[in-house]
Amino acid sequence: MSKTGAEILVECLKKHNVDLIFGYPGGVLLHIYDRLFDSDILHVLPRHEQGGIHAADGYARSTGKVGVCFGTSGPGATNLVTGIATAYLDSVPLVVFTGQVSTNLIGGDAFQEADIVGITRPIVKHSYLVKDVEDLAPTIAEAFHLAKTGRPGPVLVDLPKDVIAAKSKNLCSTDIKLVGYNPTYEGHPMQIKKMLKMLENAKAPVVLIGGGVKWSNAHEELKKFVETLNLPVVSSLMGIGAFPNPHKNWVGWAGMHGNYASNKTLTEADFILAIGTRFSDRTTGRLDAYAPKAKKAQIDIDPTSIDKNVKVDIPIVGDCKTVLNQILNYIKDFNWDKCKNDREDWLKKIEYWNNERPFSYKFSDKIIKPQFVVEKIYEVTNGDAIITTEVGQNQMWAAQFYKFKDPRQFITSGGLGTMGYGFPAAIGAKLGNPNKEVFDIAGDGSFLMNMQELCTAVQYRVGVKVAILNNKFLGMIRQWQHLFYNKRYSYSCLECQPDFVKLADAYGCVGFQVVNPSDVEPVLRESLKIKDKPVLFDFLVDREENVYPMVPAGAALNEMIYGEK
Amino acid sequence: MRHIISVLVENKFGVLARIAGLFSGRGYNIESLSVNATENEDISIMTIVTRGDDHIIEQIIKQLRKLVNTIKVRDVTQVDHIERELALLKVHATQRTRPDILSIIETFRGKVVDITKESLVVEITGDQNKLNAIINVLEPYGIIEIIKSGTIAIARGNKSTTDFTKQDIKSQEE
């Protein structure tokens, strides 16, 4: 029996357990949309393709499943580009389907034609232009396989209109022929033992974790390993949640706005075991002064992440979960009493640093401090909410003042730093986790970048909460201008903005403006009763509050600057 | 340091662009690049000449391996190998200068492949040094045009870069 490409596509999606698609139709996608009309796959129509792909991304990060989105040829496809890059930088498994003009028109500058495979080449894990309907089913199987195995990432499949209309007998298959693709899951036993030998002799060791721990579902193995050997854990921004906070072994997260104790711990450590983290510049600060006393071992499934920025002594290529299980098997062969006393002193030292300078701010009962809002969100949600963020100060305060205990709880664009990410991502996260509270901790600048998705949230009754920490500035830009450009606030002021309460009302959501610190908690509690529509909070916060501590760009981790205590 | 890297790739849509894009996107340089089909029509081999310190070369090799269509990457300069380049040189040659030029060509074991009243075309193969040497010697007579292929290289010994491929494919298919 032969079927059209569109039929094959929709059946393949079901076969790959896709139950949710974010897509925006267009001329060349009509065959597919005609099939989707009868399908029981939930299709969510965003109001902009960028919103659609960020929602698919938020869905993927919050569930661990592959996110799927559609965009039409030309502008539909180019509107996806920022979302693809966002997913690529943070290793998010997405399969992105784009429409393409018919194969006989390709290259002729046809209406709504764009070489999307070419445009996205540096920001995808892999991409396909399907030129023959016979290749469609195997291509879809490969795309899903590539997106979720190894180091996950976005895979783009470009579908010309005539290919989708043509018929084939080559229906869904799971037959994958990827000659050159074979990611390494198991770590080399010799390397692992060498690492454990080094750890055995370490007097001041630390485990540094990143987003890879989440993607590999290694959090339980990590916890067991860390508790067994009583090791301190520091995380990158992307690793937040992969180890529970609070926990006696949790130190905090390192980097530009990380806590004092974490940055200090990395600087003073004599051994770092990095797991699923790529030593990004925001995490390391100036490289020549990074962890100068430490020997380093690094576990990562992507060999290019090893030795890229920071030279390590023991590279271990492998999947975090698999390697941690191997480690747990070898632990008993080593003598962990050797440096026990030194390590206890080390942990006490770290505890002292943590008490010396925890994340803090100066409370006011006159004006709302943005950090206070985050703290109250943490309180009213009992620390159970999924938190998405935009990018900038809001993102840093969310990371500093919400305590995350679950690996899929903190959803943020760390690598690309995409403003406008958090709100659509929250919609995706809520659709994937209908029983959880989902808060987007937002800035006024970022929210305006994708606020059209309020319409989507209302249409699909997505009860997300958007907490705008409104300082009428591009806060982080203003902060840098304050600290490094003599307070010359060049084009970072957003004094002209909509009335957010009226805006919410216009879209059919609920809006609250909060001016007094004493109203923050009651309003938040009140909002939790609203389940079937989005809630928009306009928190008018202290306009010139800065994020501290801060490692200025180009400085070393121990060259932090602090606000007034 | 100059490195010659052999890359076996699946002969698929856009693979050359992926590799060229990897070099430009990450700021690596390509001195020369040559692409050829192998005896297996589904597989091509690229020979890339690049420069960089050890750290950069290591990243280049890892990044090449990471591409889904890449089957195998080998730094040929790490092993005993033979490298060749082909050059076609169009040289100004009159009746008066022709005998001298011909004797130079003979010395370098080049071949004359075209001749006109005022010029001739030489075909010459060798490593970069040899090609540079003949170009230097012919320069005074007036070189009208130089066309060079990129460098290609092969390891000495019994093993073949493509042999590995066949095994790899076999084990995948099994």
Side-chain angles (χ1 to χ4, degrees), chain A residues 88 117 121 125-127 129 131 146 151 177-182 302-304 306-308 311, chain B residues 10 12-14 17-18 26 55 58-59 62-63 65-71 168-169 172-173:
Chain A
Y88 183 68
V117 169
R121 199 173 284 121
K125 183 167 172 185
H126 197 53
S127 51
L129 169 62
K131 285 182 172 166
L146 286 171
R151 177 177 179 179
K177 266 191 203 151
L178 290 165
V179 183
Y181 178 76
N182 191 14
D302 178 1
T304 66
I306 295 177
D307 274 351
K308 181 171 64 183
K311 184 94 191 134
Chain B
E10 288 183 277
K12 291 222 168 127
F13 169 79
R18 281 182 215 279
R26 294 189 181 267
H55 176 246
E58 189 190 323
Q59 266 298 315
K62 284 178 174 178
Q63 293 285 356
R65 284 192 179 129
K66 187 172 165 179
L67 294 174
V68 171
N69 292 138
T70 304
I71 298 163
D168 289 347
I169 290 172
Q172 287 254 337
E173 280 172 354

Side-chain angles (χ1 to χ4, degrees), chain A residues 110 453 482:
Chain A
E453 302 308 332
H482 172 177

Side-chain angles (χ1 to χ4, degrees), chain A residues 101 326 384 438 528 563:
Chain A
V101 300
Q326 289 175 281
D384 289 327
V438 179
L528 294 181

Side-chain angles (χ1 to χ4, degrees), chain A residues 193-400:
Chain A
K193 284 178 191 163
K194 249 164 75 186
M195 180 278 288
L196 285 169
K197 193 83 213 158
M198 216 174 242
L199 181 59
E200 184 186 48
N201 292 308
K203 296 181 169 119
V206 57
V207 177
L208 175 66
I209 60 168
V213 175
K214 300 184 189 177
W215 288 118
S216 139
N217 275 317
H219 48 283
E220 270 162 28
E221 288 79 0
L222 172 76
K223 192 158 167 253
K224 197 168 164 200
F225 166 65
V226 165
E227 284 174 350
T228 312
L229 300 186
N230 198 18
L231 300 168
V233 180
V234 169
S235 154
S236 69
L237 181 76
M238 297 313 294
I240 292 177
F243 191 79
N245 172 20
H247 186 287
K248 73 178 178 59
N249 295 85
W250 171 253
V251 182
W253 56 280
M256 190 170 268
H257 294 291
N259 62 332
Y260 168 78
S262 293
N263 288 341
K264 191 92 180 148
T265 299
L266 289 171
T267 307
E268 298 299 323
D270 69 353
F271 179 74
I272 295 175
L273 173 59
I275 309 178
T277 180
R278 62 188 172 89
F279 294 107
S280 86
D281 57 296
R282 283 295 190 268
T283 307
T284 61
R286 200 175 70 239
L287 279 175
D288 59 23
Y290 180 69
K293 302 172 187 172
K295 295 264 186 202
K296 300 170 192 84
Q298 186 181 1
I299 303 168
D300 205 291
I301 197 158
D302 178 1
T304 66
S305 287
I306 295 177
D307 274 351
K308 181 171 64 183
N309 301 333
V310 170
K311 184 94 191 134
V312 297
D313 301 278
I314 305 177
I316 302 172
V317 178
D319 163 59
C320 298
K321 189 186 183 89
T322 315
V323 175
L324 276 164
N325 273 320
Q326 289 175 281
I327 291 174
L328 288 169
N329 282 335
Y330 297 138
I331 275 185
K332 57 179 184 324
D333 304 337
F334 294 81
N335 173 11
W336 300 106
D337 289 334
K338 234 178 184 176
C339 303
K340 208 173 168 201
N341 293 339
D342 288 313
R343 278 181 208 210
E344 272 161 17
D345 290 349
W346 170 237
L347 287 173
K348 272 181 211 146
K349 223 186 235 179
I350 293 172
E351 201 187 335
Y352 173 78
W353 291 329
N354 244 333
N355 293 329
E356 195 181 11
R357 281 186 186 276
F359 287 131
S360 65
Y361 66 97
K362 217 172 171 181
F363 174 78
S364 157
D365 56 8
K366 305 249 166 8
I367 188 158
I368 300 175
K369 292 286 181 174
Q371 302 94 326
F372 176 70
V373 176
V374 179
E375 277 184 342
K376 286 294 155 194
I377 293 174
Y378 176 73
E379 273 177 42
V380 303
T381 57
N382 300 318
D384 289 327
I386 293 176
I387 302 294
T388 71
T389 76
E390 305 293 341
V391 167
Q393 290 187 318
N394 60 79
Q395 181 183 31
M396 295 302 120
W397 284 320
Q400 289 183 339

Side-chain angles (χ1 to χ4, degrees), chain A residues 24 41 93 161 326 368 409 480 555:
Chain A
Y24 207 102
I41 299 175
K161 187 175 185 182
Q326 289 175 281
I368 300 175
Q409 210 187 343
W480 285 48

